[in-house]
Amino acid sequence: MHKCIFCHKDVSISKSVEHIIPESLGNKSHVLPKGYVCDECNNYFARKVEKELLAMPYFISMRSRNNILSKKGKYVKNKFLFPSILQETDGIIEFSEDAIDIFLESPEVFDAINNKKCNTMLSLYLPEPEYPSRIVSRFLAKCAYEFFLYQMPREMYDECVDEFMQDTSPNKSLENIRKYARYGEGEFWEYSQRRIFSEGTLWVNEDSFVPFERLHQMKLFVRETSHEGDDKIYAEVYYILEMNGVEYSICLSDTDISEYDKWVEEHPGQSPLDDNKEKQLPFGIYDVNPLLIRKDTI
Ligand SMILES: [Zn+2]
């Protein structure tokens, strides 16, 4: 019998495919196949973690300006303010090849614009999620725990899951992050957050020279430390995630992020996600889309 990696209940009748990052953030490829996360847990994360994450002002603002559609192919609704007529309304921005179209819900605002009574529109422009946030922390804990399995070769998944379940396994250290992600148990799990490149940055790979954008990247990063007067080497494993130019890091076994912060301090301008084969182009999509954020302006 297969068991769910989060609640340890039978997963054999579950139909869910588990997206490590929600589809509504543009993720199509980082997926755990059916049979590892049960429908109930999948549903729980969708309702209690991801929905709240997507409702954070930063994620609304970021998805709106980057044109990231929802799972159902819908544009993100954002709030727009019109200071000269003291009104606000929900609306959507759509980018097409030759225009930016804005659809506003309020007929009053629409009339005021038509009658030239207002010519200024503002919307929230947030470069990063508010920090620290319990929702981001639990989302990262969920992603980190799932990614630990995801990064294994596919044929080792079952063996790895068996180890997750055993009390004596060395992976017992993942118990705390599992319970925190799924049930919110235990103390707040600290994480690191920082912008490492601009939204809309274009990259090229040495081997192909076809420009591309990075939406998500993730990896496990091992940091070894030794303590003075002690010849033992300690290692901590971090889950590093980049989404739209913001890097997030969380430790798999420890709620404390200070060792990672030290690494960042000792390696200015670097990220564990850096790939020497990939180079940043000197121009990006932000040069043609004024809604995007340039790293050097924040
Ligand atoms: Zn479950």
Side-chain angles (χ1 to χ4, degrees):
M1 184 177 81
H2 271 288
K3 285 179 179 173
C4 167
I5 59 170
F6 283 102
C7 67
H8 296 181
K9 288 181 198 154
D10 182 10
V11 79
S12 54
I13 52 160
S14 285
K15 296 185 175 67
S16 303
V17 169
E18 173 68 12
H19 286 75
I20 299 181
I21 294 173
E23 283 178 278
S24 296
L25 287 176
N27 173 34
K28 303 246 184 296
S29 52
H30 298 296
V31 169
L32 284 178
K34 205 165 81 172
Y36 294 95
V37 177
C38 77
D39 290 348
E40 204 183 317
C41 290
N42 178 277
N43 228 303
Y44 174 84
F45 288 123
R47 282 184 298 112
K48 298 289 181 191
V49 180
E50 290 160 7
K51 198 172 161 200
E52 285 193 43
L53 183 88
L54 294 172
M56 287 175 74
Y58 160 77
F59 283 98
I60 293 176
S61 164
M62 184 276 283
R63 290 173 67 212
S64 171
R65 64 184 180 246
N66 280 281
N67 217 21
I68 299 175
L69 306 187
S70 75
K71 182 168 142 181
K72 293 180 180 146
K74 294 213 172 104
Y75 287 90
V76 179
K77 204 180 271 186
N78 202 355
K79 201 167 272 312
F80 300 99
L81 313 172
F82 299 84
S84 53
I85 51 167
L86 300 175
Q87 295 247 21
E88 61 168 50
T89 181
D90 287 342
I92 52 174
I93 299 186
E94 286 187 19
F95 297 84
S96 58
E97 263 174 36
D98 51 2
I100 297 179
D101 295 321
I102 300 174
F103 299 90
L104 302 171
E105 286 189 357
S106 157
E108 292 86 20
V109 172
F110 186 77
D111 286 346
I113 296 171
N114 259 347
N115 298 327
K116 302 197 165 47
K117 284 190 190 136
C118 76
N119 53 16
T120 306
M121 180 180 94
L122 307 172
S123 78
L124 279 179
Y125 195 111
L126 302 169
E128 284 182 30
E130 59 180 277
Y131 177 90
S133 148
R134 193 172 167 82
I135 279 298
V136 174
S137 160
R138 281 191 66 201
F139 170 69
L140 292 174
K142 180 211 93 119
C143 294
Y145 183 69
E146 289 177 349
F147 187 71
F148 189 83
L149 179 62
Y150 177 81
Q151 48 91 39
M152 298 273 175
R154 181 69 181 83
E155 63 275 14
M156 283 182 64
Y157 277 16
D158 290 344
E159 201 179 312
C160 182
V161 171
D162 287 344
E163 282 212 2
F164 275 18
M165 309 291 170
Q166 279 170 21
D167 284 352
T168 50
S169 129
N171 288 331
K172 183 77 180 154
S173 56
L174 295 181
E175 270 299 274
N176 289 342
I177 203 165
R178 171 181 78 84
K179 288 181 180 160
Y180 179 72
R182 178 62 178 86
Y183 305 107
E185 284 178 24
E187 60 181 296
F188 178 74
W189 213 285
E190 292 174 5
Y191 63 97
S192 140
Q193 171 183 312
R194 57 184 181 136
R195 178 164 290 284
I196 53 172
F197 59 84
S198 302
E199 285 172 15
T201 297
L202 291 174
W203 305 80
V204 281
N205 188 303
E206 268 179 13
D207 305 328
S208 72
F209 294 104
V210 179
F212 61 91
E213 251 189 291
R214 284 181 182 166
L215 287 184
H216 317 115
Q217 289 172 278
M218 48 185 99
K219 74 184 286 188
L220 296 181
F221 172 59
V222 181
R223 173 168 160 81
E224 293 184 348
T225 50
S226 55
H227 296 273
E228 224 172 300
D230 187 349
D231 40 6
K232 279 186 199 148
I233 299 284
Y234 300 87
E236 285 201 317
V237 180
Y238 295 89
Y239 167 71
I240 319 284
L241 167 68
E242 172 266 311
M243 291 194 292
N244 300 87
V246 179
E247 181 211 81
Y248 308 83
S249 316
I250 195 167
C251 180
L252 281 147
S253 56
D254 191 347
T255 58
D256 179 353
I257 195 69
S258 58
E259 285 298 328
Y260 183 74
D261 288 340
K262 271 186 219 158
W263 184 89
V264 170
E265 230 169 78
E266 289 162 11
H267 300 81
Q270 290 180 42
S271 163
L273 295 167
D274 289 345
D275 178 340
N276 294 332
K277 284 189 146 190
E278 291 177 359
K279 299 265 175 294
Q280 201 168 326
L281 288 180
F283 53 87
I285 296 172
Y286 46 73
D287 289 311
V288 290
N289 181 350
L291 297 174
L292 296 184
I293 287 179
R294 283 192 75 135
K295 190 180 174 190
D296 54 11
T297 61
I298 52 170

